Amino acid sequence: MIHSGGVDSRVWRYMVPELAQSFKIITFDGRGTGRSPVMQEPTSLVEDLRKLLEHLGLDRVTLVGHSMGGQVATDFTLSYPSMVDQLVVIAPSLTGFVYSQEFTNYMTSVNAAAPDISKLVELSLAGPIYRATMAGPHGSFLSEMHAQYMARVFTEWRCFEVLWPEPPAIERLEKIAASTLFIQGTIEWPDMYNIAEHFKHVPAIQFAEIQGADHMLVLTHAKPLANCIQHFILGKRDNVVDPRSE
């Protein structure tokens, strides 16, 4: 399970107990987050994942990636297809996708607050894709993780460059052989729907949408999300189409 940017592996704390009833689950802190070492030089997160799986002696896995973690999972699947049995992407970003001016303006306004950590966190989590999470009981936990992430980035990181495989994944999605599940909430940037359109090029793909969930559905809708993933992995396809009844 590959977490998104801005947080660490603790973001899976509500999903892991659900999925661990049926599967062996591995979570980890991506480079520069949680308890992992900081970014010191240009880094490939895809190669980080490969080295982790080799260290653990795992030849073939199901990948579950959220947001930028979904981007890592997608690129890894294209780079090392023999190592991926099934692919689950949750509100993923996508290598090579050109984001809208609305999203770009939002990111510019957030980054302009650097290095003021509290302001960075405030502006970032004020984004419309976090409104359901921040209005609920998980808001303080997300703020805590986000603040710790920002503090590490601006006080410890020595490099900010992430290396991605070429050509970009957006140009090669039809080459993904793994059975794939794309999940998103209904409170998202329009960009996410455009990314979903691109993922329709994946030959064996299913889509699921969770009503009332925003970008952090891994926190707010952990149980229905875990159930959706479980049904997909176990091949219960009728239950994948619409998890809203969970």
Side-chain angles (χ1 to χ4, degrees):
M1 300 183 76
I2 312 166
H3 65 78
S4 65
V7 296
D8 55 58
S9 62
R10 290 176 295 165
V11 79
W12 301 116
R13 63 164 53 167
Y14 303 110
M15 289 184 63
V16 166
E18 301 290 335
L19 291 171
Q21 296 178 40
S22 303
F23 313 106
K24 178 180 179 180
I25 306 298
I26 296 170
T27 66
F28 65 100
D29 292 326
R31 187 179 293 263
T33 74
R35 292 173 291 174
S36 285
V38 299
M39 295 269 286
Q40 299 281 2
E41 58 187 9
T43 299
S44 168
L45 301 180
V46 169
E47 291 305 306
D48 277 357
L49 177 57
R50 179 187 62 81
K51 292 172 184 176
L52 173 64
L53 295 180
E54 289 182 353
H55 173 72
L56 296 173
L58 298 173
D59 298 324
R60 192 168 176 85
V61 296
T62 290
L63 294 179
V64 178
H66 173 228
S67 194
M68 191 175 76
Q71 182 171 325
V72 175
T74 300
D75 278 84
F76 184 92
T77 301
L78 286 165
S79 298
Y80 300 102
S82 66
M83 296 184 70
V84 181
D85 185 28
Q86 292 170 298
L87 171 64
V88 178
V89 290
I90 306 167
S93 47
L94 176 63
T95 315
F97 180 78
V98 179
Y99 288 87
S100 65
Q101 192 63 50
E102 179 186 14
F103 179 80
T104 302
N105 290 344
Y106 158 73
M107 290 302 299
T108 299
S109 68
V110 172
N111 292 333
D116 185 332
I117 303 301
S118 60
K119 192 65 174 178
L120 279 164
V121 173
E122 177 188 345
L123 290 174
S124 179
L125 297 184
I129 61 170
Y130 299 114
R131 68 172 183 260
T133 303
M134 295 308 295
H138 302 289
S140 58
F141 179 47
L142 178 58
S143 295
E144 174 191 333
M145 283 192 293
H146 210 46
Q148 291 176 1
Y149 169 84
M150 291 293 188
R152 289 204 72 190
V153 168
F154 288 101
T155 63
E156 299 180 25
W157 285 28
R158 297 295 176 261
C159 181
F160 301 90
E161 183 181 358
V162 176
L163 305 175
W164 297 100
E166 292 289 346
I170 196 171
E171 299 176 11
R172 299 183 289 146
L173 291 173
E174 72 280 356
K175 296 183 179 179
I176 291 179
S179 181
T180 302
L181 174 63
F182 185 110
I183 313 172
Q184 68 181 79
T186 53
I187 304 172
E188 270 288 358
W189 295 108
D191 288 341
M192 186 54 60
Y193 296 93
N194 293 330
I195 289 175
E197 286 297 314
H198 284 287
F199 266 86
K200 289 181 179 179
H201 291 290
V202 176
I205 191 165
Q206 301 173 53
F207 293 86
E209 190 173 73
I210 298 184
Q211 286 288 335
D214 64 16
H215 195 64
M216 297 307 295
L217 63 172
V218 296
L219 290 176
T220 60
H221 292 71
K223 186 171 183 177
L225 184 56
N227 287 344
C228 183
I229 293 170
Q230 180 183 45
H231 290 314
F232 167 73
I233 294 174
L234 298 178
K236 301 175 182 178
R237 299 189 176 188
D238 291 343
N239 297 81
V240 171
V241 177
D242 188 352
R244 290 174 287 184
S245 61
E246 297 287 357

